[in-house]
Every structure is written in C-alpha cells, then in structure tokens.
C-alpha cells in the first residue's frame, strides 16, 4: 500500500514537472552609491533601472491587466538590495488601518514582495509596505500555496519609507544582505509581488496567478536576474540582549505581598556564510508580551496555539511542519512550558541555554539542529530536561522534498533538582515525510510515517498519514488519511488524540459569473470519519456548504452539518464540568450555520455567524461575531462576542457560555503603540485584562510595559496580577 502511494506521488511530480516557459523577469541594477530612503523615486538611478511593468489582475478577474498601474524596480550595492515601488491610484484617499508594523494585507492599500532567494519555489522572505510607510516582514514556507505556511511573526532589520502624490504613491526599501539567506554566487532568485488596491477594488500580481490559487503561491514566481551576483554579507553577527523586571501577586495561591522579579539574558544571531544561521540564547525570557486569544472549547481535545517566540521562527517549517495539525512530532511551545504538579496547569519553565542551526547546506539540502536545556523546578516537582531536534530536508523534482526528523527529550535531573543523566527516561520520535508540491501549483500533499520510542515502546507507537489536493480552475479535490497508534507518546509534539484511523475527502466547485454582483459561488462537500480498533466508528461529520463571494469583498456561507459521536470516555458537552454523558454511548445530531463577512474596506466592518440545531442528546444555538471600527490610522477597536446556549435534558447541565473580548489599538506613530485587550470567558471562569505599551526606539529594539490582571468571572474577585517591563536591543556587530 505504501509503495503504491509513493508511486502515485512520484507520478504526479513527473507529470507536473514542467511549467509555463514564459516566466517574466527583472534585472537588478548594480550601483556603487548609497540610496537615501525617503520614499521618493527621484534619484537618477531609478530611471536606469528595469521596471516590472504593469501587474495582472488577480481579483475580481485573473485574465486582464490591472486597472491600477504598478511598477517595481531593483538595484543593489555591496550592502543593500534596494526596491523602488510606484503604485498609481485614482486619488490619495488610501485605506491604512493603523501605523503598527506587521499589518494584515486584506482591506488595506499595500504592496508585498516575496524573495525566493534559493529559487526553489519553496521558501521565501516577505517584505511589505503601505502608502504611509508602515512595514511588515515575514516568512513563507512549504511553497506558499493552500497547504503552505505564511507567518508575520518573524522580525528583522531593514528600512523603508513611502510618499503620497495626488495620482500615486511611491516607496523605497533597503534590505541588508545580512538580513537574507541566499546561495553564494547565485545569478537568479524568484520574486512574487502583489498589491492590494482599495480604490480600484482589485488585487493584482506581477506574474499571472489564477484566482483559484493562493496569491502568495511560490509556484508562480517570476525571476530576478543578477548581472553581478549578490555580495557576500561579511561578518553577520547580531546580539539581542534583554532585561526585564516587574512585580506579580497570586491571590489565589495565597500570596500576601507582591513578588518582585527581574531577569536578563541575551540572544545571538550568527550568519554562517550567506545561507546558514546560528541562533544562540542564554537565559531567554520567553514570556509573551502579546496574550493568547481565549476560545470557547466544547471539544474533547486540546486547542492549538501558534508559536510567536522569535528564537524559533526563522526556518521554523524545518522543525514544525512534520505530520499534520493533529499529530505533530515536534511543537516548540512544549519547550519552556511544564505542568504544575499540584494543579495540572501549564507553568513557565526557565531555560538555561539553547542553540539552533538552520538553513541550506547546498542548493537542494536544508538542515535544522536544535538543542535546549531547561532548569529544574523542585517547588513544582519539575525535573530539568534536555531537548534535541535534528531535521533534514532534501529537495526532489522542482518543488517537492523528502524530510527526516529526530526529536529527543531526556531528563538531566530528577524532580528534586539533583543532577543525574537518565534521571528521567528519554522519549524519542523518528519520522520521515515526503512533501509534494507540483511546479504548476495544482497538486500538493504529503505522506509521512513517525515512530515514538520510550520505555513503553510498542508496535502501536506510530503516526502515519497521507494528504493530497488537486486544484483546477473550477474544481478542488482533497483527500486526507491519518492513522495514529495507541502508544504514540510524542511528548515534545502536538498530538490531539491517539488510537484512531480517519479519512477526510472533500470536493469544491466554483462558478465565476461574467456579470452581476457575485464574483464567485459554489458548493462544497466534506466528509470525515474516524474509527478506533476497539470501538469501530467513533465519529463522522458530513458537511454541505454553499459559498458566495461578492464583488464588494463581502461573502456569505451556508453550512448544513450531520454529526455522529461515540464517546470512548465520559464527556460533558456543556463544557461546564457538569454530569457527563457516559462512555460507550453514541449520538447523531444535525445543525446549520450561516455566516456573513462584510467589506473590510469599510470603517465599520465585521463578521457574524449564527448557528443552531441538535447537539448530542440536547440542542445548541448561538452566535459568533467580530466587529471592527477603524478611525485611521490612529485608532482601531475590535469586539469579539460569542454566545453558546446549550440545553441538555435533566439531570445533565445546561449552559450559557459567553466569550467577550474588546480590543483597542492606539498607534500614536510608527514607533509608539498602546493596546488594551479585555477577555471575559465564563467557561474558564476568567476575566483577563492585558494592557501593553510598546516603544520601538530603534530597528527591532523595543521597550514593553505590560500590565495583566485576571479575575473570577462570577464575582470579579482578583486571581492574580502582574506588571512587567521588558527592554530588548538589536546590536549588530
């Protein structure tokens, strides 16, 4: 069976190995002078620089040139890659949500460039700017298609400004070669560029990208040609020290007086040649200055929260993209987090030191090595651990790859803090993935097998899966199969459930009207079925959807769902800890959902979803909403309000669950921000207040002042509170 699957993937790769030969290209002008970054393309060098020419429309159509003209120019000296941008518009009334860095592109005027520096159509560096000179940067992994990874959490040092004219806006970027990773002596990079133009209500791309594909799908990169290869970046060392101090008090834990604390440490980024990066950390402060969004969890499984810590982000896909969302052999948020032995809740576990090497060895081989050591915490009976992760990724065909991973967690002390190798038995996971991405972007998928080794290792300590998707102009077909054994105990991974086999086929069809207010519409059918060896089929979901996307950027979705659930353990569907439904019982129930998303270009916009129907042995109805108010560019308010009404027959619990989360963002300038986030969640009996002041006083250097309060939702009794000051500084050596 596995051989047949591999042959199937291999055949797809060969079938799709060729791509359109008419690939647009742009040449980099080699210069000696330094460019003043003021956002105005008035230097003489820009007149000598080749232009990309006007862009193709991506929305609302994909077969005509864009109405709003756009041009990009590239030049380079021995230190910087310079980018010139010119975007024509009807007038100078642009939409810019805020002055805060790392904005989301939707609903804003902006230009984004993705540099595929190894020309492998797999990974890229993203740089974006809007008409007010607000910047964003990020990383693209796994080809950037529907199965790819797009993250704006990565931060680095570069420069950019913009200038508004009556009929256009212009921008200049200066990207240090030290910021990028690339093949030494390379003559060709990939480039994908796209623009969001709110005045013409269009999205456009430099290369022609079908609208059924992701706008950042790297399969559709154009080419950057270097007359003179990009220079060696030279010494590339950055030190990022931090200091933090604050006070906290745990009222629930009985602390009678505040606990004052301070900490200091440093990170270092060392470029090893132009294509490898070594990250080092000593006593890192992995406390997050941005609080996780709370959710109403009515499932039987753990909720996934993404990684935001800078140390783990560059080349993160090398480590984190093995397996699928429900069964990852490595999840970096397991490092620096431990379980409180008394309450079972997560607590921060100090990290002594760590090292992380990642990048390209040659044109086709990527490598990732990570080693971190955490401190023992005898007060909470937490031993000290060492974590080691090794990953290799070998490119095959044009955009596919074979990847291998080893994850090891070993105890270095016992729970009292006494040193002793082997105090806690090691837990290891080995795995291999084949990741498919066809050259034309139509086929994507993966096949993987992972095995866990520990004291209780058995034949059932495995995770295996297959994914495949095909995207054509009107049709999308998906297949997802997963099999996780009962003993797959990947303690450094994210494994939502074990001991099951599942399949998930799905089909979408799109219609594209030639006229009228609807841009696209069509049905979607998804089915998921889960079995366990002992209980047979334990879950299935059959979902029929109909989706309408309008020319004004709004959309309307209708979903009709049939669920079946067999309980393999006791479970309270109300999520309140009431009398549970018993293990071994099963339920079939129907529900319906209707959602509407308004045009994000409006000052007041939002999304609302109403749902209702049967729920286990009772009923459930509710509403989920998100309302956004923009007074650009200084004020933004987002209000999340979710309500669940659950009615179960006596003696089981009924529930009225509220999750209310207003968030206010004030951006006084491109360097000073104030965010206040209030979250009321009566399911977890918690009210969280988080106020964060940020001053970016230098590139990638910040002062944070964060105040956090947690209260009981029933009587607003204080649970704990903290005030933290954190200062980081990026020092280039």
């Amino acid at each position: 069976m596995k051989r047949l699957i591999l042959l199937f993937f291999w055949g797809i790769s060969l079938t799709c190995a060729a791509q359109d030969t008419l690939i647009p290209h742009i040449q980099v002008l080699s210069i000696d002078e330094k460019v003043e970054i003021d956002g105005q393309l008035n230097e003489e060098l820009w007149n000598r620089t080749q232009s990309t020419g006007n862009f193709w429309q991506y929305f609302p159509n994909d077969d005509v040139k864009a109405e709003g003209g756009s041009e990009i120019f590239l030049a380079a000296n021995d230190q910087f890659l310079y980018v010139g941008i010119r975007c024509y518009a009807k007038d100078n009334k642009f939409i810019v949500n805020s002055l805060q860095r790392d904005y989301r592109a939707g609903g804003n005027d902006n230009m984004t460039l993705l540099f595929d520096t190894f020309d492998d159509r797999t990974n890229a560096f993203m740089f974006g700017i809007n008409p007010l000179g607000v910047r964003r940067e990020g990383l693209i992994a796994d080809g950037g298609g529907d199965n790819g990874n797009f993250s704006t959490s990565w931060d680095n040092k570069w420069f950019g400004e913009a200038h508004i004219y009556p009929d256009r806006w212009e921008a200049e970027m200066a990207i240090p070669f030290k910021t990028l990773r690339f093949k030494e002596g390379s003559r060709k990079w990939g480039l994908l560029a796209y623009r969001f133009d709110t005045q013409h209500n269009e999205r456009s791309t430099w290369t022609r990208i079908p609208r059924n594909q992701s706008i950042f799908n790297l399969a559709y990169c154009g080419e950057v040609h270097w007359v003179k290869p990009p220079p060696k970046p030279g010494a590339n060392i950055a030190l990022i020290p931090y200091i933090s101090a604050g006070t906290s008090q745990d009222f629930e834990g009985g602390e009678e007086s505040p606990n004052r604390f301070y900490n200091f440490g440093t990170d270092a980024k060392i470029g090893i040649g132009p294509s490898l990066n070594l990250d080092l950390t000593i006593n890192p402060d992995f406390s997050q200055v941005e609080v996780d969004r709370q959710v109403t969890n009515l499932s039987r499984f753990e909720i996934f929260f993404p990684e935001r810590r800078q140390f783990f982000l560059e080349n993160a896909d090398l480590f984190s993209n093995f397996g699928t969302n429900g069964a990852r052999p490595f999840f970096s948020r397991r490092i620096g987090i431990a379980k409180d032995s008394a309450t079972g809740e997560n607590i921060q576990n100090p990290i002594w030191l760590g090292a992380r090497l990642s990048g390209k060895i040659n044109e086709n081989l990527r490598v990732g090595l990570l080693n971190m050591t955490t401190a023992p915490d005898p007060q909470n009976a937490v031993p000290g651990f060492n974590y080691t992760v090794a990953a290799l990724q070998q490119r095959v065909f044009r955009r596919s790859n074979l990847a291998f991973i080893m994850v090891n967690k070993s105890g270095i002390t016992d729970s009292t803090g006494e040193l002793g190798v082997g105090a806690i038995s090691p837990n290891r996971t080995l795995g291999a993935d084949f990741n498919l991405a066809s050259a034309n972007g139509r086929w994507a998928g993966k096949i993987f097998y992972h095995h866990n080794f520990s004291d209780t290792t058995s034949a059932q300590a495995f995770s295996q899966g297959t994914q495949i998707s095909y995207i054509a102009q009107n049709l999308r077909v998906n297949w997802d199969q997963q099999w996780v054994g009962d003993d797959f105990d990947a303690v450094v991974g994210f494994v939502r459930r074990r001991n099951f086999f599942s399949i998930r086929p799905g089909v979408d069809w799109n219609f594209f009207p030639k006229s009228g207010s609807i841009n696209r519409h069509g049905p979607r059918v998804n089915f998921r079925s889960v079995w366990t060896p002992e209980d047979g089929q334990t879950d299935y979901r059959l979902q029929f959807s109909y989706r309408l996307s309008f020319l004004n950027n709004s959309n309307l979705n209708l979903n009709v769902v049939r669920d079946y659930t067999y309980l393999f353990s006791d479970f309270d569907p109300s999520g309140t800890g009431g009398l549970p439904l018993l293990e071994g019982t099963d339920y079939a129930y129907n529900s319906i959902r209707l959602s509407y998303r308004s045009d994000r270009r409006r000052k007041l916009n939002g999304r609302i979803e109403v749902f209702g129907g049967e729920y286990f042995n009772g009923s459930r109805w509710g509403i989920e909403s998100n309302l956004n108010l923009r007074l650009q560019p200084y004020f933004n308010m987002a209000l999340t309000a979710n309500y669940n009404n659950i009615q179960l027959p006596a003696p089981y619990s009924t529930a009225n669950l509220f999750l209310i989360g207003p968030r206010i963002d004030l951006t006084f300038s491109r360097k000073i921000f104030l965010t206040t986030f209030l979250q009321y969640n009566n399911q977890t009996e918690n009210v969280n207040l988080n106020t964060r002041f940020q001053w970016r006083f230098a590139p990638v250097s910040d002062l944070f002042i964060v105040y956090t309060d947690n209260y009981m939702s029933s009587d607003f009794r204080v649970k704990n509170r903290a005030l933290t000051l954190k200062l980081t500084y990026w020092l280039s050596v």
Side-chain angles (χ1 to χ4, degrees):
M1 178 66 179
K2 292 178 182 177
R3 288 185 178 179
L4 289 175
I5 294 172
L6 284 171
L7 286 172
F8 173 67
F9 276 72
W10 178 70
I12 292 172
S13 297
L14 291 181
T15 302
C16 304
Q19 193 178 9
D20 185 0
T21 56
L22 300 177
I23 300 176
H25 67 273
I26 182 173
Q27 189 168 290
V28 182
L29 177 68
S30 181
I31 60 175
D32 296 321
E33 65 265 35
K34 187 175 181 178
V35 179
E36 180 184 358
I37 303 301
D38 58 6
Q40 302 180 64
L41 305 184
N42 51 15
E43 290 90 350
E44 186 272 334
L45 74 94
W46 296 120
N47 296 325
R48 295 185 280 119
T49 307
Q50 181 184 351
S51 164
T52 56
N54 197 19
F55 283 28
W56 286 92
Q57 197 175 90
Y58 172 83
F59 173 88
N61 298 299
D62 60 2
D63 56 358
V64 296
K65 286 290 188 177
E67 185 178 351
S70 306
E71 295 178 285
I72 292 175
F73 312 86
L74 299 178
N77 60 19
D78 59 353
Q79 289 184 303
F80 295 95
L81 170 63
Y82 294 105
V83 180
I85 296 169
R86 181 175 290 133
C87 297
Y88 290 94
K90 295 178 179 178
D91 53 45
N92 58 7
K93 295 179 181 179
F94 300 105
I95 294 178
V96 176
N97 279 335
S98 80
L99 300 175
Q100 192 156 6
R101 199 181 183 106
D102 290 339
Y103 55 85
R104 298 297 297 185
N108 295 268
D109 282 282
N110 64 90
M111 175 71 79
T112 298
L113 295 91
L114 311 180
F115 289 100
D116 172 16
T117 56
F118 287 93
D119 190 34
D120 58 11
R121 302 300 193 267
T122 303
N123 295 81
F125 296 91
M126 182 271 286
F127 300 92
I129 197 165
N130 67 25
L132 296 185
V134 183
R135 289 172 282 157
R136 67 176 188 150
E137 65 272 277
L139 299 173
I140 310 296
D142 291 331
D146 285 357
N147 296 325
N149 184 276
F150 180 101
S151 171
T152 57
S153 297
W154 177 74
D155 222 353
N156 221 304
K157 206 176 207 180
W158 63 287
F159 310 92
E161 292 290 345
H163 189 82
I164 296 175
Y165 295 90
D167 63 338
R168 69 189 188 279
W169 64 276
E170 295 181 349
E172 292 177 311
M173 298 178 178
I175 304 170
F177 287 108
K178 292 182 179 182
T179 295
L180 302 169
R181 312 281 176 253
F182 52 89
K183 179 185 175 184
E184 188 174 334
S186 57
R187 293 277 187 172
K188 185 176 71 171
W189 290 3
L191 172 63
L192 193 152
Y194 59 87
R195 177 187 174 189
F196 280 62
D197 180 357
T198 63
Q199 294 186 20
H200 294 98
N201 187 28
E202 68 178 6
R203 282 159 257 164
S204 57
T205 56
W206 172 39
T207 55
R208 190 173 175 180
I209 302 177
R211 57 184 167 178
N212 63 306
Q213 296 281 353
S214 163
I215 198 171
F216 50 87
N217 190 328
L218 298 180
Y220 297 92
C221 279
E223 294 178 352
V224 173
H225 291 176
W226 295 85
V227 176
K228 179 180 177 182
K232 296 181 181 179
N236 185 5
I237 302 174
L239 298 177
I240 315 168
Y242 80 89
I243 58 172
S244 64
T247 178
S248 66
Q249 188 169 0
D250 183 359
F251 295 91
E252 276 193 316
E255 290 185 358
E256 297 182 357
S257 59
N259 173 38
R260 294 177 177 82
F261 59 89
Y262 67 92
N263 205 1
F264 61 90
T266 188
D267 288 352
K269 295 179 75 70
I270 303 172
I272 302 177
S275 59
L276 281 171
N277 187 72
L278 176 63
D279 289 284
L280 301 174
T281 186
I282 299 174
N283 191 33
D285 181 8
F286 277 166
S287 59
Q288 292 180 196
V289 294
E290 183 175 357
V291 65
D292 283 324
R293 290 185 178 272
Q294 297 186 31
V295 297
T296 299
N297 184 12
L298 293 175
S299 76
R300 293 165 286 163
F301 311 108
E302 181 183 7
I303 298 296
F304 180 88
F305 290 100
E307 179 64 83
R308 292 194 182 102
R309 300 174 293 184
Q310 282 293 323
F311 178 83
F312 293 105
L313 294 180
E314 186 166 341
N315 288 309
D317 65 294
L318 261 173
F319 303 91
S320 63
N321 285 4
F322 286 84
T324 58
N325 288 336
R328 301 283 188 196
F330 176 68
F331 179 41
S332 57
R333 284 185 68 143
R334 300 293 187 215
I335 302 177
I337 300 293
K339 290 282 187 183
D340 187 312
S341 59
T343 65
E345 295 185 358
N346 290 333
I347 57 174
Q348 187 171 334
N349 183 206
I351 296 173
W352 278 338
L353 49 86
R356 185 173 175 272
L357 177 70
S358 62
K360 283 242 184 182
I361 298 293
N362 56 42
E363 184 177 356
N364 295 316
L365 179 62
R366 297 173 73 204
V367 61
L369 299 171
L370 180 147
N371 188 273
M372 303 195 80
T373 301
T374 60
D377 183 2
Q379 182 178 350
N380 293 296
V382 177
F385 289 100
N386 178 265
Y387 299 82
T388 301
V389 185
L392 295 173
Q393 188 183 91
Q394 174 69 37
R395 185 172 69 161
V396 293
F397 313 117
R398 182 65 178 100
R399 300 175 63 228
S400 304
N401 63 72
L402 282 166
F404 304 90
I405 191 169
M406 185 278 291
V407 183
N408 182 79
K409 178 181 179 181
S410 298
I412 58 174
T413 77
D414 60 20
S415 60
T416 67
E418 179 135 0
L419 288 172
V421 176
I424 303 295
S425 299
N427 183 287
R428 298 186 180 96
T429 302
L430 300 177
D433 290 36
F434 172 66
N435 298 292
L436 168 73
S438 68
N440 60 11
R442 289 193 173 187
W443 291 92
K446 70 160 51 186
I447 179 172
F448 65 88
Y449 182 85
H450 307 142
H451 205 96
N452 179 250
F453 301 88
S454 63
D455 284 346
T456 58
T457 297
S458 74
Q460 294 300 309
F462 71 91
S463 173
Q464 177 273 328
T466 306
Q467 293 180 332
I468 186 72
S469 64
Y470 173 76
I471 305 174
Q473 178 66 21
N474 299 95
L475 175 69
R476 177 181 180 127
V477 180
N478 298 299
W479 169 265
D480 186 328
Q481 170 269 320
Q482 195 168 342
W483 187 6
V484 180
D486 192 29
D487 296 324
F488 186 66
D489 186 25
V491 296
V492 196
F494 183 86
V495 183
R496 183 170 277 118
R497 65 187 294 183
R498 297 186 290 180
N499 193 33
F500 75 93
F501 179 87
S502 71
I503 60 170
R504 185 183 297 179
V507 179
D508 296 19
W509 185 268
N510 286 308
F511 299 98
F512 297 96
K514 297 295 185 182
S515 61
S517 61
I518 297 176
N519 178 252
R520 73 166 73 182
H521 64 95
R524 169 184 293 171
V525 179
N526 288 308
F527 178 72
R528 182 173 190 253
S529 185
V530 180
W531 296 269
T532 69
E534 299 83 8
D535 304 309
Q537 188 178 49
T538 64
D539 301 82
Y540 73 72
R541 166 169 283 197
L542 176 62
Q543 178 172 314
F544 174 81
S545 307
Y546 206 92
R547 299 153 297 126
L548 297 97
S549 297
F550 299 95
L551 288 173
N552 67 354
N553 293 285
S554 64
N555 57 71
L556 181 69
N557 296 327
L558 173 68
N559 296 282
V560 180
V561 182
R562 169 74 171 179
D563 281 302
Y564 168 78
T565 304
Y566 172 88
L567 296 179
F568 47 82
S569 61
D570 293 351
F571 174 64
D572 170 28
S574 72
T576 60
L579 181 69
L581 302 177
L582 296 180
E583 172 187 351
T585 56
D586 62 343
Y587 306 87
Y589 43 102
N590 305 306
S591 60
I592 188 169
R593 286 177 173 262
L594 181 67
S595 66
Y596 174 73
R597 167 83 228 189
S598 67
D599 185 355
R600 283 182 287 182
R601 296 175 300 164
R602 304 299 181 190
K603 291 182 179 180
L604 182 64
N605 65 84
R607 179 183 181 276
I608 185 169
E609 181 172 20
V610 294
F611 55 88
E614 299 167 326
Y615 181 63
F616 288 88
N617 62 339
S619 64
R620 174 189 173 202
W621 69 273
I623 184 170
E624 298 177 358
S625 63
N626 185 275
L627 187 66
N628 301 281
L629 174 64
R630 179 187 76 247
L631 302 177
Q632 70 176 45
Y634 303 107
F635 176 87
N636 273 271
M637 184 181 74
L639 175 62
T640 298
N642 298 341
Y643 172 67
N644 278 268
N645 176 271
I646 299 171
Q647 299 289 333
L648 304 178
Y652 303 103
S653 299
T654 60
N656 290 289
L657 302 179
F658 293 91
L659 175 61
I660 302 172
R663 174 179 175 136
I664 296 175
D665 288 287
L666 296 173
T667 56
F668 301 99
S669 69
R670 285 187 290 168
K671 295 183 177 181
I672 299 177
F673 319 106
L674 180 67
T675 299
T676 298
F677 196 11
L678 177 67
Q679 298 184 89
Y680 172 89
N681 187 342
N682 70 339
Q683 184 190 30
T684 59
E685 296 185 354
N686 191 65
V687 178
N688 171 254
L689 172 65
N690 181 271
T691 299
R692 183 189 66 187
F693 171 83
Q694 178 185 359
W695 173 30
R696 174 149 286 193
F697 57 89
V700 206
S701 304
D702 297 282
L703 170 68
F704 292 100
I705 301 175
V706 182
Y707 176 76
T708 302
D709 245 341
N710 284 287
Y711 304 87
M712 294 292 295
S713 63
S714 55
D715 56 9
F716 290 92
R717 176 167 41 89
V718 180
K719 298 165 70 174
N720 55 68
R721 62 169 50 119
L723 177 65
T724 303
L725 180 147
K726 182 176 179 180
L727 179 70
T728 63
Y729 184 68
W730 184 295
L731 176 64
S732 297
V733 179

